[in-house]
Amino acid sequence: MKNNIDLKNLNDNILLDLALKERNQKAWTELVARYYGKVAATVYRIMGQTPDSADVVQEVFIEMAKAANTYRQDSAFSTFLYRIAVNTTYRCIQRISSRVEESSSDQEFLMQLRDQTPDNDESLIKKERAKMVNDAMKRLSPDKRLVLVLYEIEGIPLKDISAMLKQPVQTVWSRINQAKKQLCGELSESIEK
Amino acid sequence: MLSQKKMNPEELEKCFAEERNTVPEFSREEIEAAAEKSFAFLPFAEDTEKEEKNKTFSFTAFFEKIFRPALGLSFAAIAVIIAVVLVKTDDGNTLPEETVAVNKPMPPAEAISDRDESALPIAPGTKESGTEIKLPKAEIKVLAKTDFKRISDTDISMESGKAKFDVVTGTDFRITVDSKFLVRVLGTSFTLDYSDGKLSAEVFSGLVEVVELRSRKTTSLPADTKQLFTDNGKNFEGSNELRKQFKPKKEKDNKNSILTPGQSFLFQGREALKAGKTGAAQELFQMEIAHGKEPDKALFELVSIYETKKDYAEIAALALKHKSVIKGSKVYREELMVKGCISQKKSGDKTLSICREYLQEFPRSFRSKEIKEIIDEK
């Protein structure tokens, strides 16, 4: 009977219930599959393609599993998971901040995220521009990159970032501005070259 | 190429925007590996229940922790202490979990509710007729031999049998029946009778939602209704024979209900409704919506009244007027939006604005397919 249920059509809450209460591993795998790409993209954006990034993605899902029974369904499951992803990544950044040295070719990852449409002038410009932005972002300090990614790319409101990182809104806002300023400076230099 | 163009803040924003919509694809193997590793860390409901049970015996660990460093006892000495403690547990001071065990016939006098079991979780298993199970926010009375697979504070799994449930209003309570049905409860009193793949649900008050897990069909049962479900997606609401069999329950003992002015408008409205004073109830629910602490519950009650009158235009109007109440409700939000949507359709409101809002808010819910169909029919 259980096998006849099409898991793809079940909502996140039901999948989580099935995993927790019926030990249904397929339901859990379906839930992980739904969010793996998004979580991985966020982690890689924040951390860069470091050797630790893949481990952090794994750690996010382990943390999600550990905290699964604390999810109260009063917000979307994706919000709950997102919080875990950001907090786990932030913890990892703090842990390894002294050794976050990415190789220049690693940032190609974000380029690979883009769709594989045939290259025309416009898409080449887009790709080149994205590469330049990513290279510049790589040179930001982990703290600045974190807030910039969360605010500008993930679209998380300031007060939520402030709550996640347990830092005042003003501090977060000023760090975002510093990051943007530095990014613009880096990009202007790249363009001149 | 790019070097011919100057990178300005607008272009930077553009880059961020492009990035926002980028979601990478990963191999199925990679995802399955992550799922497999993390699956082992899930706090399964049964394990959590076992851990809770073990708390009854935790004072052995407490003794061990306190006395070992203090007295410098050897492992052998600790073992002796633990043995002594365990012997003590057998003298009846602590109830072992088997006391409410599976398949052991329970003497009628030994109703679970009679014991002080604040720290003792209730073991699942077969419960005989007459057994009463008291949970923090619900009471279950077994009406015929019922096989419970899981009993936790807000989550029950039953395999067969018949039981009456009384759930505190506002509690998110779920009952899985034989892995075939999911019964979601929004604070209510009702009975479930399950045998041979057929589930009969009779609701006395509040609202029960029955989800047939295979077909994902959801049926809401308001107060004073009874319905039979099968796991083939059919229910027998429309059958003449069964309609006769499951004739709505008549009001009983309610005529003498007295209005209690000291209580909330919601409470008084419900009392008025029980006493058959629908007009007064409507007024009181309106007052609760406007001034009370539980406007969502009052709105739900009000909508239920108009449902019985089949006044769908009024329901749609209420849903539109009290959007903020609906949005602020954790328990009734989805249900009220569905009712608003269906009422819009039935009353000929072609905008179907509530249906669209519902789809935006609950794109993957059980009802989304049904709501999409309503919009497509338009």
Side-chain angles (χ1 to χ4, degrees):
Chain A
M1 175 65 214
K2 281 176 212 169
N3 294 335
N4 293 338
I5 301 170
D6 186 359
L7 296 170
K8 287 194 188 311
N9 291 323
L10 296 180
N11 71 24
D12 298 344
N13 298 346
I14 299 289
L15 287 176
L16 190 62
D17 270 4
L18 286 173
L20 279 174
K21 291 165 189 168
E22 311 287 339
R23 290 178 185 258
N24 187 330
Q25 191 165 353
K26 283 185 181 170
W28 179 251
T29 306
E30 170 61 24
L31 197 57
V32 171
R34 273 183 201 178
Y35 292 103
Y36 193 88
K38 278 191 170 182
V39 166
T42 304
V43 170
Y44 280 102
R45 276 172 192 141
I46 296 170
M47 295 196 67
Q49 178 86 341
T50 71
D52 300 296
S53 300
D55 292 341
V56 175
V57 175
Q58 178 65 72
E59 202 173 322
V60 168
F61 285 101
I62 289 173
E63 291 298 320
M64 162 175 136
K66 283 180 185 169
N69 62 352
T70 64
Y71 172 54
R72 292 283 167 257
Q73 304 193 3
D74 50 1
S75 59
F77 180 77
S78 55
T79 312
F80 167 76
L81 173 59
Y82 207 81
R83 240 165 225 281
I84 293 174
V86 171
N87 286 331
T88 308
T89 312
Y90 184 55
R91 269 203 316 275
C92 291
I93 282 182
Q94 288 177 322
R95 202 168 61 213
I96 60 173
S97 57
S98 56
R99 54 186 179 87
V100 177
E101 288 295 329
E102 306 93 322
S103 69
S104 58
S105 60
D106 285 338
Q107 281 292 327
E108 295 298 328
F109 175 79
L110 289 175
M111 297 289 293
Q112 291 163 16
L113 303 186
R114 299 177 185 288
D115 58 7
Q116 300 298 311
T117 49
D119 288 348
N120 52 30
D121 281 358
E122 198 186 339
S123 69
L124 274 174
I125 290 172
K126 271 186 185 175
K127 282 185 179 180
E128 201 176 334
R129 189 170 54 198
K131 187 180 183 311
M132 280 174 61
V133 172
N134 287 322
D135 283 347
M137 279 180 73
K138 189 185 68 183
R139 289 189 286 276
L140 295 175
S141 70
D143 277 359
K144 284 180 190 166
R145 187 165 56 211
L146 174 71
V147 290
L148 191 70
V149 168
L150 293 181
Y151 185 72
E152 288 293 350
I153 298 172
E154 306 297 344
I156 302 176
L158 261 185
K159 64 176 169 71
D160 290 356
I161 300 174
S162 150
M164 275 181 207
L165 306 182
K166 292 175 185 151
Q167 285 170 0
V169 174
Q170 285 299 333
T171 310
V172 176
W173 181 235
S174 101
R175 200 166 287 165
I176 291 168
N177 280 327
Q178 283 170 15
K180 275 181 169 177
K181 210 171 169 184
Q182 189 180 331
L183 206 56
C184 281
E186 298 263 3
L187 290 168
S188 300
E189 279 173 28
S190 307
I191 289 164
E192 278 162 21
K193 281 174 198 171
Chain B
M1 195 174 295
L2 189 67
S3 53
Q4 291 164 7
K5 296 183 83 184
K6 185 110 179 151
M7 175 72 82
N8 56 38
E10 284 75 32
E11 278 181 312
L12 194 60
E13 288 296 327
K14 224 176 185 178
C15 272
F16 289 143
E18 281 164 15
E19 200 63 57
R20 254 170 239 151
N21 300 321
T22 309
V23 179
E25 284 188 8
F26 291 87
S27 69
R28 191 71 198 169
E29 289 75 31
E30 205 170 341
I31 293 166
E32 279 175 1
E36 199 179 335
K37 277 182 196 166
S38 52
F39 186 72
F41 289 87
L42 273 175
F44 296 110
E46 287 168 24
D47 297 342
T48 315
E49 282 169 20
K50 276 180 193 166
E51 275 170 29
E52 288 292 320
K53 281 177 192 167
N54 289 338
K55 282 181 187 171
T56 357
F57 299 97
S58 64
F59 62 93
T60 54
F62 175 76
F63 268 65
E64 191 181 342
K65 206 172 171 182
I66 296 298
F67 287 113
R68 187 162 62 172
L71 304 175
L73 291 174
S74 66
F75 280 110
I78 292 163
V80 171
I81 291 170
I82 292 170
V84 169
V85 171
L86 285 176
V87 167
K88 276 188 180 177
T89 61
D90 288 333
D91 68 8
N93 289 336
T94 309
L95 289 165
E97 64 182 83
E98 286 75 17
T99 316
V100 221
V102 181
N103 296 329
K104 281 187 184 171
M106 197 168 279
E110 199 194 10
I112 295 171
S113 56
D114 291 344
R115 278 194 235 127
D116 178 17
E117 289 184 330
S118 51
L120 183 71
I122 296 153
T126 307
K127 306 288 181 206
E128 295 298 325
S129 174
T131 306
E132 287 179 7
I133 301 171
K134 274 195 175 179
L135 300 170
K137 289 190 173 177
E139 279 183 33
I140 306 166
K141 186 169 185 183
V142 179
L143 302 176
K145 194 174 176 179
T146 302
D147 191 12
F148 288 102
K149 200 172 149 195
R150 181 177 63 248
I151 302 173
S152 74
D153 288 359
T154 56
D155 184 35
I156 303 289
S157 176
M158 61 184 268
E159 296 287 279
S160 64
K162 184 174 181 179
K164 183 170 187 280
F165 298 80
D166 281 291
V167 182
V168 173
T169 305
T171 309
D172 186 9
F173 195 84
R174 287 149 189 258
I175 303 151
T176 312
V177 184
D178 194 20
S179 303
K180 291 180 180 171
F181 299 95
L182 175 71
V183 181
R184 296 201 307 176
V185 184
L186 303 173
T188 194
S189 174
F190 61 100
T191 61
L192 293 179
D193 185 356
Y194 181 72
S195 63
D196 301 329
K198 289 176 184 169
L199 175 72
S200 164
E202 182 176 11
V203 182
F204 304 115
S205 68
L207 177 82
V208 168
E209 203 171 67
V210 179
V211 182
E212 293 155 48
L213 287 174
R214 190 167 65 173
S215 61
R216 296 182 307 282
K217 190 180 170 194
T218 304
T219 310
S220 296
L221 300 179
D224 293 331
T225 53
K226 185 170 179 177
Q227 195 155 318
L228 187 66
F229 300 87
T230 61
D231 69 332
N232 59 11
K234 292 178 185 170
N235 62 55
F236 296 101
E237 189 186 27
S239 153
N240 286 336
E241 195 185 332
L242 283 153
R243 193 184 295 150
K244 208 171 161 187
Q245 188 185 340
F246 297 131
K247 201 175 165 188
K249 203 170 163 288
K250 284 187 179 171
E251 293 277 338
K252 41 178 186 181
D253 303 324
N254 291 335
K255 299 290 175 196
N256 297 327
S257 293
I258 303 162
L259 288 182
T260 44
Q263 295 283 354
S264 68
F265 293 121
L266 176 67
F267 181 88
Q268 292 185 61
R270 283 174 174 163
E271 290 295 300
L273 205 56
K274 279 183 195 170
K277 296 171 182 171
T278 315
Q282 280 174 241
E283 294 291 323
L284 287 160
F285 291 140
Q286 291 280 14
M287 294 289 280
E288 178 72 28
I289 294 170
H291 308 289
K293 288 179 182 169
E294 298 179 298
D296 56 336
K297 288 178 190 168
L299 181 58
F300 185 81
E301 296 282 2
L302 198 54
V303 164
S304 301
I305 293 174
Y306 286 113
E307 263 185 335
T308 56
K309 292 179 178 176
K310 297 194 175 172
D311 190 346
Y312 298 110
E314 189 61 35
I315 297 172
L318 279 171
L320 288 169
K321 186 180 172 188
H322 299 296
K323 261 185 187 176
S324 58
V325 171
I326 295 174
K327 281 193 175 169
S329 173
K330 282 182 189 170
V331 180
Y332 294 92
R333 184 173 53 188
E334 186 173 359
E335 193 54 37
L336 282 168
M337 287 184 84
V338 169
K339 284 182 190 293
C341 162
I342 292 170
S343 300
Q344 272 191 322
K345 184 203 166 193
K346 287 190 174 172
S347 62
D349 179 350
K350 288 182 180 172
T351 62
L352 298 175
S353 56
I354 304 173
C355 304
R356 292 176 209 285
E357 277 177 39
Y358 175 86
L359 276 185
Q360 277 181 354
E361 206 166 327
F362 303 99
R364 301 183 69 89
S365 82
F366 282 111
R367 312 292 290 266
S368 58
K369 197 179 164 194
E370 183 191 337
I371 304 297
K372 265 180 206 158
E373 280 169 4
I374 290 176
I375 293 173
D376 292 343
E377 272 175 32
K378 180 198 157 192

